[in-house]
Each structure stands twice: as structure tokens, then as C-alpha cells.
Amino acid sequence: MVEVEEGSQLAPKFNQQGLIPAVVTDHASGELLMHAYMNSDALERTIGTGEAHYYSRSRDKLWRKGETSGLIQKVRELLVDDDQDCVWLRVEVAGGASCHVGYRSCFYRRVPLTADKGPVELQFTESGKVFDPEQVYAGHENPTRL
């Protein structure tokens, strides 16, 4: 326990599916850009290349962020939490956006905190898209699998 929490060796604790959550923020501003998962290969490649790699649960494959769009995430700092079951990437994003929908951040909608019952109306927090996903991803399938 002490080695994991206070030791100097990276010992990531992957979940039962072999994944670890990755929180991604902008290195300069601290803005939350996205949340993803990494498997051991994605983490190794990220460490080895300095570019963010993730594991897509819906597509069941490893992917390098920006491989299709050019919106590559250069990792400026990679941190691990106290029990090594989550990583935090502080990145610089080529092209200024991280969301495949076209917004800068994947967190572009706010959930209002109200006591009202009924449907919750989301509030957009970004005034517009950074890029047009139909142009950037022309000929590629949408990566979202619902």
C-alpha cells in the first residue's frame, strides 16, 4: 500500500476490463477537455511518444488522439493519483479542440442544478464549434457508438 501511495514506481491499477480512466485538461488554462480510458498499451505509447493515446471501449481499439482529425494532444505533463487508478494528462492541443463533435471541450453542456421535476434542459457553455466535424471527418465513421 505504501509503495503504491507514496512510492516512486509507476504501478497503474487497471480495472477488471484492463482500463484506467484518463482526465484531460489544457496545460495552459486548466480547462477540462475530455475524459477517456487507457489500457496498458495506450499508457505505454503515451509515455513513449509524448502524444495522447487512448482505448476506445465502443470501438474496442487503441487510438491516437488526432490520428484522423489532426487535433493531436501533445502531453506536457502526465500525473497519477494517490492509489494509481486514474491518470491526468495536461495537454497542448494542435488545432485548439479536443471534441470530435467540433467543440473545444467534450464538456460543452451544463446540467442546471434545480429542484424542478421533469426533463432536464441542458445549457450550452460554448458559443460555437471550433471546427466542422463533417469536413474534418469526411469519409470516416462517427466514433460514438450508442
Side-chain angles (χ1 to χ4, degrees):
M1 179 82 88
V2 172
E3 183 60 35
V4 169
E5 293 181 340
E6 299 189 49
S8 60
Q9 295 295 309
L10 178 63
K13 189 164 65 176
F14 296 96
N15 68 15
Q16 292 175 336
Q17 291 78 40
L19 303 174
I20 190 169
V23 178
V24 185
T25 62
D26 181 271
H27 182 260
S29 70
E31 175 186 15
L32 178 61
L33 298 174
M34 60 181 274
H35 167 270
Y37 289 92
M38 292 180 156
N39 61 9
S40 61
D41 193 23
L43 184 57
E44 286 176 24
R45 289 184 189 210
T46 298
I47 293 168
T49 65
E51 293 182 354
H53 289 72
Y54 303 103
Y55 181 80
S56 171
R57 296 174 303 158
S58 63
R59 292 177 284 160
D60 192 27
K61 72 175 227 168
L62 180 75
W63 57 285
R64 179 177 65 99
K65 181 67 176 155
E67 65 189 307
T68 303
S69 66
L71 303 172
I72 295 167
Q73 293 178 343
K74 295 294 267 179
V75 180
R76 296 297 175 218
E77 190 172 28
L78 176 59
L79 300 102
V80 64
D81 74 338
D82 56 355
D83 59 353
Q84 298 200 41
D85 67 352
C86 182
V87 294
W88 174 15
L89 287 78
R90 298 183 68 216
V91 303
E92 186 176 296
V93 183
S98 286
C99 182
H100 76 277
V101 178
Y103 294 99
R104 173 164 168 71
S105 167
C106 292
F107 294 88
Y108 54 87
R109 294 172 293 184
R110 176 182 303 116
V111 178
L113 303 176
T114 66
D116 296 339
K117 302 271 188 225
V120 175
E121 186 79 21
L122 298 174
Q123 303 165 344
F124 282 77
T125 60
E126 295 189 25
S127 59
K129 295 184 177 188
V130 174
F131 66 92
D132 180 352
E134 296 208 11
Q135 288 181 350
V136 170
Y137 296 107
H140 294 277
E141 198 174 310
N142 186 326
T144 301
R145 303 275 192 271
L146 302 177

